[in-house]
Amino acid sequence: MKTTPSLRAIAAAVCVLALPLSVQAQASLPASAAATAVKPAAATLKRYELQTNIVDGKMVFIDAKGQVNPVLAAKVGDTVELVLKSGEGAEHDLLIPELNVASAKFSANSGSTSVRFKVTRAGTFTYYCSIPGHRQIGMEGKLEVTGTSLAETAAPASAAGESSQAAALALYTPAPSPMRGPDPSAVSVAANPAQVPAAIGARAPQLLKYRMETVELPGKLDDGTSFTYWTFNRQVPGPMLRAKVGDTVELTLFNARDSKMIHSIDLHAVTGGHGGGQHTQVAPGQEKTVTFKALNPGLFVYHCATPLVPQHIAAGMYGMILVEPEGGLSKVDREYYVMQGEMYTGRPHGAPVHQEPNLEKMANELPDYYVFNGEVGALSKTHKLQAKVGETVRIYFGVGGPNKISSFHVIGEIFDKVYSEGSISSPKHDVQTTLVAPGGATIVELKVQHPGSYLLVDHALSRAGKGAVGVLEVTGEPVPGVYHAGAAQ
Ligand SMILES: [Cu+2]
């Protein structure tokens, strides 16, 4: 088993405790009494210390001996105490639904927690972490209870089936959280679409160094509605990265100290290592670095690749990297950076609350919101796109998703050029609407020839009512003959 240095340090720190620790819970009886007493139940306190950590890319529980997801043992009548600590810092809990056991949530910030329960049933029970995705990526083990189930508390056979069903449901349905009003500290997380790195053009390959920070923060989803976003650099989408084919990119990902989750990055421009996702699973307060060569030109999506991946994406963890071809792209007057995503919330669209993610809706692909640049109004109120008549506008457009295809369209304009699927080698011309896959991108270019407000939409137009609307504001004098209201002159 490969262990990280931090894991070894943790194991060293706790290995002085011989575990499981068996403590006589009953006061010992005098010898004479013991000889004549009715056989007492050998009730003991079984104490286990479990730390969480990441081992070989999996999230696990580790006991004091370094055993991963250890089998815990107890006898009917025992009291079991589990002392739980977050080794890598992220938030977790421990559930044994069949025994009605649930710990409080614990993280580096909360410190350790413990849960104590008396075992009344024999059998093999599963313990696991109920944070979405954590069980699937490894956080589960067994509790084996020997002896005879106590008659008065033994569950009927059907109850076992019901409780395992409940456990399965718990996987996708986090405990309901009380409804609360919009978070007053929520800020705008909308990325400014005009923040596009400068063109690179013709030059020799270089080493580029990027550093990004994953931050969880309350953001404004809409007027009067907030949401806890998970972001790259406090914005949605994360910053646009720009490189040239042949460049080597060194990318460091730092996860903010106050994060509750592990985060990571998978860039679709990367060959190997799950796009970087394999080697960037980073715990709160830590950082990791990967280096890759930009082998293929194109516009590529990046996203967090930590389970539950669609949950991390739906919370805002996506962005794009442009890899310019040899010689760069043609010159245009303006460049913009726009991404579409959809969000699944506990309350309906428009509810004046702090919205919580709803994983059941996510599993069923029934979003409440569709957004450009992270929030409702990001590109129609906060950051409108601007251009002047006669200019050529290039839009780098991607879909974070996690699930929905975009039918990208600009009302009242025609794309003169479309680099379909972000592939730069052979553009299409004269396109009305272009399909963009989740985890995909496109580059569109349009020469604007008439003043006005042009709407950016997903032409699955019900989605405009759920937030997916942007504005390209074109100013200047109309070009004669292009368009006018009324009869021909
Ligand atoms: Cu993440």
PDB file of all heavy atoms in Angstrom, residues 331-346:
ATOM      1  N   LYS A 331      -6.729  37.648 -36.408  1.00  0.00           N
ATOM      2  CA  LYS A 331      -7.007  38.796 -35.551  1.00  0.00           C
ATOM      3  C   LYS A 331      -8.483  39.181 -35.628  1.00  0.00           C
ATOM      4  O   LYS A 331      -9.063  39.199 -36.702  1.00  0.00           O
ATOM      5  CB  LYS A 331      -6.142  39.991 -35.998  1.00  0.00           C
ATOM      6  CG  LYS A 331      -5.123  40.376 -34.943  1.00  0.00           C
ATOM      7  CD  LYS A 331      -4.435  41.687 -35.245  1.00  0.00           C
ATOM      8  CE  LYS A 331      -4.835  42.631 -34.145  1.00  0.00           C
ATOM      9  NZ  LYS A 331      -4.560  43.992 -34.297  1.00  0.00           N
ATOM     10  N   VAL A 332      -9.062  39.468 -34.477  1.00  0.00           N
ATOM     11  CA  VAL A 332     -10.439  39.979 -34.448  1.00  0.00           C
ATOM     12  C   VAL A 332     -10.466  41.217 -33.568  1.00  0.00           C
ATOM     13  O   VAL A 332      -9.481  41.542 -32.907  1.00  0.00           O
ATOM     14  CB  VAL A 332     -11.436  38.923 -33.896  1.00  0.00           C
ATOM     15  CG1 VAL A 332     -11.593  37.747 -34.845  1.00  0.00           C
ATOM     16  CG2 VAL A 332     -11.014  38.455 -32.516  1.00  0.00           C
ATOM     17  N   ASP A 333     -11.610  41.912 -33.575  1.00  0.00           N
ATOM     18  CA  ASP A 333     -11.688  43.155 -32.804  1.00  0.00           C
ATOM     19  C   ASP A 333     -11.940  42.923 -31.320  1.00  0.00           C
ATOM     20  O   ASP A 333     -11.468  43.666 -30.475  1.00  0.00           O
ATOM     21  CB  ASP A 333     -12.783  44.047 -33.398  1.00  0.00           C
ATOM     22  CG  ASP A 333     -12.469  44.405 -34.851  1.00  0.00           C
ATOM     23  OD1 ASP A 333     -11.448  45.064 -35.074  1.00  0.00           O
ATOM     24  OD2 ASP A 333     -13.223  43.966 -35.747  1.00  0.00           O
ATOM     25  N   ARG A 334     -12.739  41.907 -31.020  1.00  0.00           N
ATOM     26  CA  ARG A 334     -13.060  41.639 -29.607  1.00  0.00           C
ATOM     27  C   ARG A 334     -13.172  40.145 -29.373  1.00  0.00           C
ATOM     28  O   ARG A 334     -13.658  39.409 -30.233  1.00  0.00           O
ATOM     29  CB  ARG A 334     -14.396  42.276 -29.219  1.00  0.00           C
ATOM     30  CG  ARG A 334     -14.361  43.787 -29.240  1.00  0.00           C
ATOM     31  CD  ARG A 334     -15.751  44.340 -29.050  1.00  0.00           C
ATOM     32  NE  ARG A 334     -15.785  45.771 -29.325  1.00  0.00           N
ATOM     33  CZ  ARG A 334     -15.753  46.714 -28.387  1.00  0.00           C
ATOM     34  NH1 ARG A 334     -15.695  46.390 -27.110  1.00  0.00           N
ATOM     35  NH2 ARG A 334     -15.780  48.000 -28.724  1.00  0.00           N
ATOM     36  N   GLU A 335     -12.749  39.728 -28.188  1.00  0.00           N
ATOM     37  CA  GLU A 335     -12.888  38.321 -27.801  1.00  0.00           C
ATOM     38  C   GLU A 335     -13.647  38.230 -26.469  1.00  0.00           C
ATOM     39  O   GLU A 335     -13.400  39.022 -25.554  1.00  0.00           O
ATOM     40  CB  GLU A 335     -11.517  37.667 -27.630  1.00  0.00           C
ATOM     41  CG  GLU A 335     -10.737  37.525 -28.934  1.00  0.00           C
ATOM     42  CD  GLU A 335      -9.478  36.683 -28.756  1.00  0.00           C
ATOM     43  OE1 GLU A 335      -8.768  36.864 -27.753  1.00  0.00           O
ATOM     44  OE2 GLU A 335      -9.222  35.840 -29.632  1.00  0.00           O
ATOM     45  N   TYR A 336     -14.543  37.251 -26.378  1.00  0.00           N
ATOM     46  CA  TYR A 336     -15.319  37.050 -25.150  1.00  0.00           C
ATOM     47  C   TYR A 336     -15.280  35.580 -24.729  1.00  0.00           C
ATOM     48  O   TYR A 336     -15.081  34.686 -25.554  1.00  0.00           O
ATOM     49  CB  TYR A 336     -16.768  37.505 -25.353  1.00  0.00           C
ATOM     50  CG  TYR A 336     -16.902  39.002 -25.417  1.00  0.00           C
ATOM     51  CD1 TYR A 336     -17.203  39.648 -26.630  1.00  0.00           C
ATOM     52  CD2 TYR A 336     -16.715  39.787 -24.277  1.00  0.00           C
ATOM     53  CE1 TYR A 336     -17.322  41.032 -26.687  1.00  0.00           C
ATOM     54  CE2 TYR A 336     -16.828  41.166 -24.330  1.00  0.00           C
ATOM     55  CZ  TYR A 336     -17.142  41.785 -25.524  1.00  0.00           C
ATOM     56  OH  TYR A 336     -17.244  43.147 -25.581  1.00  0.00           O
ATOM     57  N   TYR A 337     -15.500  35.387 -23.428  1.00  0.00           N
ATOM     58  CA  TYR A 337     -15.394  34.077 -22.778  1.00  0.00           C
ATOM     59  C   TYR A 337     -16.729  33.777 -22.081  1.00  0.00           C
ATOM     60  O   TYR A 337     -17.104  34.456 -21.125  1.00  0.00           O
ATOM     61  CB  TYR A 337     -14.259  34.172 -21.767  1.00  0.00           C
ATOM     62  CG  TYR A 337     -13.995  32.972 -20.884  1.00  0.00           C
ATOM     63  CD1 TYR A 337     -13.735  31.713 -21.426  1.00  0.00           C
ATOM     64  CD2 TYR A 337     -13.925  33.115 -19.496  1.00  0.00           C
ATOM     65  CE1 TYR A 337     -13.435  30.638 -20.602  1.00  0.00           C
ATOM     66  CE2 TYR A 337     -13.611  32.048 -18.671  1.00  0.00           C
ATOM     67  CZ  TYR A 337     -13.367  30.812 -19.229  1.00  0.00           C
ATOM     68  OH  TYR A 337     -13.061  29.754 -18.415  1.00  0.00           O
ATOM     69  N   VAL A 338     -17.461  32.804 -22.608  1.00  0.00           N
ATOM     70  CA  VAL A 338     -18.804  32.511 -22.093  1.00  0.00           C
ATOM     71  C   VAL A 338     -18.961  31.003 -21.888  1.00  0.00           C
ATOM     72  O   VAL A 338     -18.569  30.212 -22.750  1.00  0.00           O
ATOM     73  CB  VAL A 338     -19.891  32.998 -23.091  1.00  0.00           C
ATOM     74  CG1 VAL A 338     -21.286  32.627 -22.602  1.00  0.00           C
ATOM     75  CG2 VAL A 338     -19.780  34.498 -23.324  1.00  0.00           C
ATOM     76  N   MET A 339     -19.523  30.637 -20.746  1.00  0.00           N
ATOM     77  CA  MET A 339     -19.832  29.214 -20.542  1.00  0.00           C
ATOM     78  C   MET A 339     -21.233  29.030 -19.994  1.00  0.00           C
ATOM     79  O   MET A 339     -21.737  29.837 -19.223  1.00  0.00           O
ATOM     80  CB  MET A 339     -18.812  28.557 -19.607  1.00  0.00           C
ATOM     81  CG  MET A 339     -17.469  28.314 -20.298  1.00  0.00           C
ATOM     82  SD  MET A 339     -16.352  27.267 -19.338  1.00  0.00           S
ATOM     83  CE  MET A 339     -16.971  25.619 -19.744  1.00  0.00           C
ATOM     84  N   GLN A 340     -21.831  27.950 -20.426  1.00  0.00           N
ATOM     85  CA  GLN A 340     -23.177  27.585 -19.971  1.00  0.00           C
ATOM     86  C   GLN A 340     -23.101  26.414 -18.995  1.00  0.00           C
ATOM     87  O   GLN A 340     -22.285  25.512 -19.163  1.00  0.00           O
ATOM     88  CB  GLN A 340     -24.034  27.184 -21.186  1.00  0.00           C
ATOM     89  CG  GLN A 340     -25.456  26.755 -20.826  1.00  0.00           C
ATOM     90  CD  GLN A 340     -26.323  26.524 -22.059  1.00  0.00           C
ATOM     91  OE1 GLN A 340     -26.112  27.141 -23.108  1.00  0.00           O
ATOM     92  NE2 GLN A 340     -27.295  25.631 -21.944  1.00  0.00           N
ATOM     93  N   GLY A 341     -23.963  26.475 -17.994  1.00  0.00           N
ATOM     94  CA  GLY A 341     -24.074  25.348 -17.067  1.00  0.00           C
ATOM     95  C   GLY A 341     -25.502  25.271 -16.580  1.00  0.00           C
ATOM     96  O   GLY A 341     -26.262  26.229 -16.735  1.00  0.00           O
ATOM     97  N   GLU A 342     -25.868  24.125 -16.010  1.00  0.00           N
ATOM     98  CA  GLU A 342     -27.208  24.043 -15.437  1.00  0.00           C
ATOM     99  C   GLU A 342     -27.094  23.651 -13.965  1.00  0.00           C
ATOM    100  O   GLU A 342     -26.138  23.009 -13.551  1.00  0.00           O
ATOM    101  CB  GLU A 342     -28.096  23.073 -16.232  1.00  0.00           C
ATOM    102  CG  GLU A 342     -27.892  21.605 -15.969  1.00  0.00           C
ATOM    103  CD  GLU A 342     -26.810  20.959 -16.832  1.00  0.00           C
ATOM    104  OE1 GLU A 342     -26.117  21.668 -17.601  1.00  0.00           O
ATOM    105  OE2 GLU A 342     -26.631  19.732 -16.715  1.00  0.00           O
ATOM    106  N   MET A 343     -28.098  24.085 -13.190  1.00  0.00           N
ATOM    107  CA  MET A 343     -28.037  23.897 -11.743  1.00  0.00           C
ATOM    108  C   MET A 343     -29.310  23.238 -11.230  1.00  0.00           C
ATOM    109  O   MET A 343     -30.408  23.507 -11.720  1.00  0.00           O
ATOM    110  CB  MET A 343     -27.803  25.247 -11.062  1.00  0.00           C
ATOM    111  CG  MET A 343     -26.454  25.845 -11.483  1.00  0.00           C
ATOM    112  SD  MET A 343     -26.222  27.544 -10.971  1.00  0.00           S
ATOM    113  CE  MET A 343     -25.935  27.296  -9.224  1.00  0.00           C
ATOM    114  N   TYR A 344     -29.120  22.393 -10.245  1.00  0.00           N
ATOM    115  CA  TYR A 344     -30.210  21.586  -9.681  1.00  0.00           C
ATOM    116  C   TYR A 344     -30.372  21.990  -8.224  1.00  0.00           C
ATOM    117  O   TYR A 344     -29.479  21.762  -7.412  1.00  0.00           O
ATOM    118  CB  TYR A 344     -29.853  20.104  -9.792  1.00  0.00           C
ATOM    119  CG  TYR A 344     -29.483  19.688 -11.208  1.00  0.00           C
ATOM    120  CD1 TYR A 344     -28.174  19.825 -11.678  1.00  0.00           C
ATOM    121  CD2 TYR A 344     -30.444  19.181 -12.073  1.00  0.00           C
ATOM    122  CE1 TYR A 344     -27.827  19.460 -12.973  1.00  0.00           C
ATOM    123  CE2 TYR A 344     -30.117  18.807 -13.368  1.00  0.00           C
ATOM    124  CZ  TYR A 344     -28.806  18.946 -13.816  1.00  0.00           C
ATOM    125  OH  TYR A 344     -28.470  18.582 -15.098  1.00  0.00           O
ATOM    126  N   THR A 345     -31.501  22.611  -7.905  1.00  0.00           N
ATOM    127  CA  THR A 345     -31.658  23.185  -6.575  1.00  0.00           C
ATOM    128  C   THR A 345     -32.861  22.596  -5.841  1.00  0.00           C
ATOM    129  O   THR A 345     -33.820  22.116  -6.461  1.00  0.00           O
ATOM    130  CB  THR A 345     -31.816  24.709  -6.676  1.00  0.00           C
ATOM    131  OG1 THR A 345     -32.897  25.010  -7.564  1.00  0.00           O
ATOM    132  CG2 THR A 345     -30.546  25.364  -7.195  1.00  0.00           C
ATOM    133  N   GLY A 346     -32.801  22.692  -4.521  1.00  0.00           N
ATOM    134  CA  GLY A 346     -33.847  22.111  -3.676  1.00  0.00           C
ATOM    135  C   GLY A 346     -35.189  22.792  -3.850  1.00  0.00           C
ATOM    136  O   GLY A 346     -36.233  22.154  -3.805  1.00  0.00           O
TER     137      GLY A 346
END
